[in-house]
Amino acid sequence: MSLKPWREIAVPHEDVLKGTFQQAEFAADLSRVHLGTATAEYQDPSLFFQRTFITEGMRLLLDSVVHRLTGRGGDPVIQLQTAFGGGKTHTMLAVYHLAKGEVSASDMPGIPSILNAAGVVEMPRARIAVLDGIRLSPNQPMKRDALAVRTLWGELAWQLGGAEGYAMVREADESGTSPGKGVLADLLGRYAPCVILIDELVAYIRQFEEGKTLSGGSFDSNLSFLQALTEALKAVPTAVLLASLPESDKEAGSQRGVKALAALSHYFGRVQALWKPVSSEEAFEIVRRRLFSSIGDKLGAEAVCRAFADTYIANAADLPHETQEARYFERLMHAYPIHPEVFVRLYEDWSSLDNFQRTRGVLKLMAKIIHRLWKDNNSDLLIMPGSLPLYDADTRNESIYYLPQGWDPVLERDVDGERAETTELESVDTRLGSVQACRRTARTIFLGSAPSTANQMVRGIELERVLLGCVQPGQQIGVFKDALRRLNDRLHYLNSGNNRFWFDTRPNLRREMEDRKRRFQDKDDVIPAVRDRVQRTLAPGVFSGVHVFTASADIPDDWALRLVVLPPTAGYSRSGDQSAIRYATEILKHRGEQPRFKQNRLIFLAPDADSVSRLKDQVRSVLAWQSIVADIKEMKLNLDQYQARQASRSLDDANEALRGMVKESYRWMLAPAQFAERGKGLSELQWEAFQINSGAQNLTQEIERVLRENELLITEWAPIHLHNVLKTWFWKDGTGEANALNVWQQTCQQLYLPRLKDDAVFHNTLAAGAESRDFFGFAQGKEDGRYLGFSFAKRTTPILDTALILIEPSLAHAEAERIAAERAQEAAGAAAVTYPLGTPPSAQQAADSGATTRVVATPVAATTAPRTHFFGTIDLDPVMAKRQFADIIDEVVLNFTAKPGVRVRISIEIDAESDAGFEDGLQRAVRENCNVLRFKNAEFD
């Protein structure tokens, strides 16, 4: 069976449907009823009781009045002391119609049962006096026929007995003094049974200034009258007094009002029966009976309530615990077609607002809500907090009337309406829009949190109550949870904390943070902040230097291994943005305006192109939170303690998120490479990209791991690999030797050679291969075709300097054999020497040790003249000429230019031949370039 919406079951009263109700109609005016000028719903006893729900408290009060007026006991004085709008005047009207007896008891719904319980067949008609403290004036006498009635006691006597009754207190009325208990007892006894109804008594008494007498008497004389009246009522068994007093000092108004309330409470407290008329549960029926004429389909209503109860049980983990109790179904039935949560929020939260009357305020607001929902054909199963039509101007104005200034933009921007964020979110996401998840959620939070103040220790409503106010049977709770998450990120005035949500007239800290984010510029704020975070994240590790967003001119071109971190503007993507490659290439090839030679000493770390925008956004968030926290400390922001703590927590969370975001963004390792084969030249510059695990705890260690595993960096090098490099690139063209220092330096310069961590790795490799005959031999120099300090297949610790030579194994083996043969010959010659008889032992020892026994006179060579001229020629490899020429400048020419007075001339001779001849285009290009470069001669033949 399909469930019916509330509008098909419950029919509102005609005035609610038409929207013709007035606020005054909801205000039960006792004086107007007494004068016969009230609206029919209050003036007509039958109609009044039809729309009045007799609560348990009201039933007990009416029972006491029945007993009193029939002389069967009952309380002589009843004080109605409740909160503003608690139903005091409405209760007095019930007593008024019951006691006056204008219609029979059978025509007043609910009254016959009260009379039967009291054993009364027919109520006596009583005289009624109504003293309205708002209508009466202490200094303006009331005109009664030809009489001027000045005081409360004069008005009481006139209403009970007319001129005859007034005559009993005339002197006291004219003098403004209390008539005394005896006179009042005689007055009440003469006109009993009688009922005295005093409303807004404090409002009347507080107008008397202490020590000052008005026509209505004085402050003290009025208190004396009330004391005497309460005592006189005890002497008259068929007279009863009902008086209303405010519940709090705040409702009493001024200091005189507070004083009057204290005094009246004292006097009434001596004889009164204190009564509080309306409980929250009974308020359901009061409001329903006043706003709805009937519940047409009771079975349909029960089915709806049962469906809600079942939904709540099925989603117990997400809803308040009281929804799991069996009696919650009964609450749903009592409140139908209004959801109980609406009443809870209005009676518990909104009634705490100044001037919001518990019953009248609820009636007025709900009447506007029901009228608009009916007009818009609302199809909700119940009228829920999420159903409130806050898009309607009348409903909106009524809801914010009792709130402080500033709520209108909150509703318009964040809660409900065509331009609200909630409406926009629902228009984009049909899953949310199909059930109005965003608007219903925002309305629920508004109803539950708007009356709260910044001074409250705990603000807002819990998530479970938000869901209770939104979800209907058949709907998924997860949709509303998702809506709430969206709202929390998007709305300007929505706040959250400790699983509670609330609106405030001040923008929330998140929106304040979002607004401040726009202050920060990439160049001046964001990029420097990213640089700082990256620098704090990376440690040098294997690198001699880490250069974060450093200009190429400031990155040294030396033999040290360096990590270059590219800025966010140079993002890398495998298939898209190649900014990182272009940026890194420029640094690799140039150091400022000069060419860079040690290219194999650079490794690059680049940000992920798709993550850069999120990284910069997170940096802006951190900067924004930092500025907010700083302003709070400097008292520039007026926030409560909770918001101040929230700002500090948000800053910590943003910093933690940024740490993770830096790792997530800087996850690409870029390594330059070239591939070369002998005879084919070098390939174009290529870039190898390797992804770093952003989840690693230590980013520096993760970088080192990627370098090692992909052989981008060598920290331990086996001699066989050095042998292969030497064999491929250095022992060539009939040359079986290579300068060791040059080999190391070439590995730092040439991208096709292995990248070693530092020269210590190279030195260790030399030492490890020294004892083997398979890899290389050593020499500390060469002179006249002979190796100096030769070592092969022996343990040694080579010194890596300009003299150290690495010799090809076969050549080293031959050299070792030659040296061994020479030594063998020398040994054989030494063995053939004989010594004459009598040769001293010292001479024999000297001879045996190889020392020369012959003395040779060597003339001292004349001092040679200084050498004043150097000339050198070299053939360059056409493919590697650029690199080789740079080495010539560094290693040779600079030695001369560094000396003062040395004149250096460098000339270059280029000889190119082609059997097929050179085409015209090539000739033209070469000639033009030579002219630009100022060649002395440049000819083709």
Side-chain angles (χ1 to χ4, degrees):
M1 181 181 70
S2 61
L3 300 175
K4 293 181 180 180
W6 68 269
R7 68 191 320 276
E8 295 183 13
I9 298 175
V11 181
H13 285 299
E14 192 69 19
D15 58 348
V16 177
L17 287 177
K18 292 181 179 180
T20 57
F21 48 83
Q22 300 294 328
Q23 180 178 0
E25 294 181 3
F26 288 109
D29 192 326
L30 187 60
S31 293
R32 289 180 61 188
V33 172
H34 192 47
L35 294 173
T37 60
T39 56
E41 63 182 293
Y42 291 113
Q43 193 72 54
D44 186 330
S46 298
L47 188 57
F48 173 80
F49 279 104
Q50 284 178 9
R51 296 192 176 188
T52 298
F53 173 68
I54 299 178
T55 65
E56 180 64 17
M58 184 183 290
R59 186 189 66 78
L60 293 174
L61 183 142
L62 292 177
D63 180 73
S64 179
V65 170
V66 168
H67 279 81
R68 186 69 181 175
L69 293 180
T70 56
R72 302 183 182 186
D75 298 308
V77 178
I78 300 174
Q79 179 200 147
L80 306 179
Q81 187 172 30
T82 64
F84 190 42
K88 299 176 295 229
T89 306
H90 203 87
T91 302
M92 287 188 175
L93 279 176
V95 174
Y96 180 92
H97 288 304
L98 172 64
K100 194 168 185 180
E102 290 184 340
V103 299
S104 65
S106 60
D107 292 331
M108 294 185 287
I111 296 303
S113 61
I114 294 175
L115 297 181
N116 291 336
V120 176
V121 178
E122 184 177 356
M123 277 289 294
R125 296 189 66 175
R127 293 176 184 265
I128 299 177
V130 175
L131 303 180
D132 188 344
I134 298 296
R135 184 168 175 271
L136 299 175
S137 172
N139 207 33
Q140 185 176 353
M142 296 289 292
K143 294 296 183 181
R144 299 298 188 186
D145 294 338
L147 299 172
V149 179
R150 299 172 176 81
T151 62
L152 286 179
W153 46 93
E155 182 68 17
L156 172 64
W158 172 265
Q159 290 190 31
L160 289 179
E164 179 183 322
Y166 177 74
M168 298 178 67
V169 298
R170 181 168 185 167
E171 291 182 5
D173 182 67
E174 291 176 347
S175 64
T177 58
S178 174
K181 180 174 67 173
V183 174
L184 293 174
D186 292 343
L187 174 67
L188 296 176
R190 178 177 296 185
Y191 299 107
C194 62
V195 175
I196 304 170
L197 303 175
I198 305 179
D199 199 11
E200 303 293 350
L201 183 56
V202 170
Y204 182 83
I205 299 296
R206 70 188 176 197
Q207 297 180 67
F208 292 94
E209 296 184 23
E210 194 168 356
K212 186 176 181 179
T213 302
L214 303 177
S215 61
S218 65
F219 183 83
D220 291 335
S221 65
N222 276 271
L223 291 181
S224 297
F225 159 68
L226 292 168
Q227 182 180 4
L229 178 61
T230 57
E231 293 294 331
L233 282 163
K234 293 190 292 185
V236 182
T238 56
V240 62
L241 165 66
L242 278 77
S244 68
L245 295 179
E247 188 175 47
S248 65
D249 290 349
K250 190 172 185 178
E251 295 175 61
S254 64
Q255 291 184 350
R256 285 199 302 273
V258 173
K259 184 177 180 181
L261 175 59
L264 291 172
S265 298
H266 171 72
Y267 293 133
F268 278 102
R270 299 173 61 182
V271 292
Q272 72 176 7
L274 186 64
W275 176 76
K276 296 185 178 181
V278 181
S279 68
S280 296
E281 293 291 336
E282 292 167 335
F284 296 177
E285 186 64 29
I286 294 173
V287 174
R288 183 173 74 170
R289 187 170 295 200
R290 174 57 187 86
L291 297 177
F292 293 91
S293 60
S294 64
I295 304 296
D297 184 357
K298 294 189 180 296
L299 291 178
E302 183 177 346
V304 169
C305 294
R306 177 60 64 189
F308 270 92
D310 292 344
T311 299
Y312 295 157
I313 292 174
N315 297 277
D318 296 313
L319 295 165
H321 63 85
E322 67 262 25
T323 60
Q324 307 306 302
E325 300 173 1
R327 63 174 182 168
Y328 199 79
F329 169 74
E330 298 175 3
R331 294 189 70 190
L332 289 165
M333 288 296 298
H334 287 154
Y336 186 90
I338 301 173
H339 194 285
E341 188 68 9
V342 174
F343 287 113
V344 171
R345 299 276 70 86
L346 292 176
Y347 277 93
E348 292 186 5
D349 301 333
W350 287 73
S351 62
S352 65
L353 295 172
D354 293 343
N355 302 322
F356 187 87
Q357 299 181 342
R358 293 184 76 239
T359 301
R360 297 178 190 176
V362 172
L363 284 171
K364 183 183 176 186
L365 178 58
M366 290 306 302
K368 291 183 179 293
I369 291 172
I370 294 167
H371 168 70
R372 185 65 194 196
L373 293 177
W374 186 274
K375 183 179 178 181
D376 293 344
N377 295 318
N378 178 264
S379 60
D380 288 346
L381 297 176
L382 290 176
I383 299 174
M384 306 176 69
S387 308
L388 271 59
L390 295 173
Y391 55 85
D392 174 60
D394 284 343
T395 305
R396 176 181 298 178
N397 292 337
E398 182 64 27
S399 64
I400 65 177
Y401 176 78
Y402 303 101
L403 299 174
Q405 293 292 323
W407 278 97
D408 194 61
V410 178
L411 293 177
E412 184 174 357
R413 179 169 182 172
D414 275 10
V415 180
D416 208 351
E418 294 180 358
R419 292 177 294 180
E421 292 280 357
T422 50
T423 305
E424 182 180 344
L425 283 170
E426 291 175 354
S427 65
V428 174
D429 192 333
T430 56
R431 187 173 62 96
L432 302 177
S434 62
V435 292
Q436 296 187 358
C438 293
R439 279 177 285 177
R440 292 176 68 86
T441 300
R443 293 165 184 165
T444 301
I445 296 173
F446 169 77
L447 182 66
S449 66
S452 64
T453 65
N455 296 326
Q456 289 179 309
M457 294 298 294
V458 179
R459 300 188 65 187
I461 58 173
E462 304 92 333
L463 172 61
E464 58 190 19
R465 296 213 167 268
V466 175
L467 298 175
L468 180 63
C470 300
V471 181
Q472 299 188 85
Q475 296 176 346
Q476 297 296 320
I477 282 185
V479 175
F480 292 90
K481 287 183 176 179
D482 185 37
L484 184 55
R485 284 191 292 269
R486 304 276 190 93
L487 297 180
N488 202 30
D489 291 336
R490 184 84 171 263
L491 297 191
H492 199 78
Y493 297 98
L494 179 62
N495 296 270
S496 64
N498 299 326
N499 204 38
R500 302 177 75 93
F501 303 86
W502 68 93
F503 282 109
D504 201 315
T505 53
R506 295 172 299 183
N508 59 40
L509 284 176
R510 178 171 292 278
R511 295 310 308 172
E512 175 71 16
M513 183 272 293
E514 293 292 340
D515 290 341
R516 292 192 180 208
K517 282 170 64 174
R518 290 190 281 270
R519 301 179 186 177
F520 302 106
Q521 303 299 317
D522 278 4
K523 181 179 179 181
D524 299 329
D525 305 299
V526 177
I527 300 302
V530 175
R531 177 191 292 115
D532 177 66
R533 293 296 173 142
V534 173
Q535 286 175 335
R536 283 193 271 169
T537 302
L538 293 173
V542 297
F543 300 99
S544 297
V546 177
H547 305 275
V548 183
F549 311 168
T550 306
S552 65
D554 297 327
I555 301 174
D557 185 21
D558 56 16
W559 312 111
L561 183 68
R562 301 186 180 276
L563 177 66
V564 179
V565 184
L566 303 184
T569 53
Y572 176 78
S573 173
R574 285 192 187 276
S575 58
D577 192 350
Q578 296 297 303
S579 300
I581 299 299
R582 292 190 295 270
Y583 200 101
T585 300
E586 181 62 25
I587 294 176
L588 183 72
K589 290 187 175 182
H590 300 93
R591 183 190 179 195
E593 300 296 328
Q594 301 298 320
R596 185 179 297 278
F597 300 114
K598 287 79 171 180
Q599 296 185 357
N600 211 27
R601 304 313 289 158
L602 299 184
I603 293 290
F604 295 85
L605 182 64
D608 182 71
D610 297 331
S611 302
V612 166
S613 59
R614 297 198 303 276
L615 172 64
K616 293 195 291 187
D617 184 74
Q618 186 61 38
V619 169
R620 286 190 173 90
S621 296
V622 170
L623 295 175
W625 284 120
Q626 285 176 342
S627 69
I628 290 173
V629 171
D631 285 352
I632 293 173
K633 292 180 179 178
E634 296 174 9
M635 306 298 289
K636 294 180 180 179
L637 273 181
N638 182 22
L639 301 178
D640 54 43
Q641 291 184 356
Y642 174 81
Q643 288 179 307
R645 292 193 300 270
Q646 184 185 39
S648 296
R649 287 195 300 269
S650 297
L651 175 58
D652 293 339
D653 293 342
N655 276 316
E656 184 64 29
L658 181 56
R659 282 190 284 271
M661 197 68 224
V662 167
K663 293 181 182 180
E664 181 181 342
S665 299
Y666 279 88
R667 64 171 184 258
W668 291 107
M669 182 73 66
L670 302 180
Q674 283 181 297
F675 301 96
E677 296 182 14
R678 294 180 61 178
K680 295 184 180 180
L682 292 174
S683 68
E684 294 294 327
L685 173 64
Q686 297 182 19
W687 289 91
E688 296 178 302
F690 300 88
Q691 189 166 353
I692 297 171
N693 179 15
S694 58
Q697 290 292 327
N698 188 303
L699 185 58
T700 301
Q701 293 178 358
E702 176 64 12
I703 291 173
E704 294 177 7
R705 182 191 66 80
V706 172
L707 290 173
R708 288 194 303 271
E709 290 184 358
N710 294 280
E711 296 185 354
L712 299 176
L713 180 66
I714 296 175
T715 56
E716 294 181 354
W717 203 22
I720 183 61
H721 298 309
L722 174 57
H723 169 81
N724 292 334
V725 168
L726 292 169
K727 183 178 179 181
T728 303
W729 299 108
F730 296 93
W731 296 332
K732 59 182 181 178
D733 299 330
T735 301
E737 57 189 45
N739 182 274
L741 183 61
N742 180 58
V743 173
W744 153 246
Q745 291 175 346
Q746 288 299 313
T747 64
C748 297
Q749 294 174 335
Q750 308 303 333
L751 297 176
Y752 58 83
L753 292 178
R755 183 182 294 105
L756 306 183
K757 175 188 172 185
D758 50 30
D759 59 354
V761 175
F762 186 76
H763 190 274
N764 292 337
T765 304
L766 296 179
E771 294 185 69
S772 174
R773 295 177 174 272
D774 299 328
F775 306 130
F776 39 74
F778 296 102
Q780 293 298 325
K782 190 175 183 180
E783 185 175 302
D784 299 330
R786 297 174 63 89
Y787 291 111
L788 304 178
F790 176 80
S791 175
F792 182 60
K794 295 179 181 179
R795 178 177 296 180
T796 185
T797 304
I799 300 174
L800 184 61
D801 57 14
T802 56
L804 184 63
I805 299 173
L806 299 178
I807 306 170
E808 193 272 332
S810 61
L811 185 60
H813 183 72
E815 178 68 9
E817 289 185 345
R818 185 188 65 77
I819 293 175
E822 287 183 355
R823 289 178 177 175
Q825 290 180 353
E826 291 178 0
V833 176
T834 59
Y835 302 102
L837 188 63
T839 301
S842 59
Q844 295 183 33
Q845 292 173 2
D848 292 341
S849 64
T852 303
T853 58
R854 183 178 55 182
V855 178
V856 179
T858 304
V860 178
T863 302
T864 58
R867 297 177 181 177
T868 61
H869 183 262
F870 168 80
F871 178 80
T873 61
I874 185 174
D875 292 331
L876 301 182
D877 186 332
V879 176
M880 301 176 61
K882 182 177 179 180
R883 303 283 183 248
Q884 292 175 341
F885 190 77
D887 291 340
I888 292 170
I889 297 297
D890 285 347
E891 308 300 336
V892 179
V893 176
L894 289 180
N895 288 305
F896 294 118
T897 57
K899 297 284 186 180
V902 177
R903 297 179 300 278
V904 179
R905 185 175 66 86
I906 301 174
S907 62
I908 300 176
E909 179 179 325
I910 301 174
D911 184 15
E913 296 181 0
S914 173
D915 295 338
F918 300 109
E919 62 272 16
D920 294 340
L922 184 146
Q923 294 183 44
R924 184 169 57 255
V926 171
R927 285 194 179 99
E928 290 177 356
N929 291 338
C930 289
N931 288 334
V932 172
L933 296 173
R934 299 180 181 179
F935 272 49
K936 290 182 178 180
N937 298 302
E939 299 293 339
F940 285 92
D941 56 27

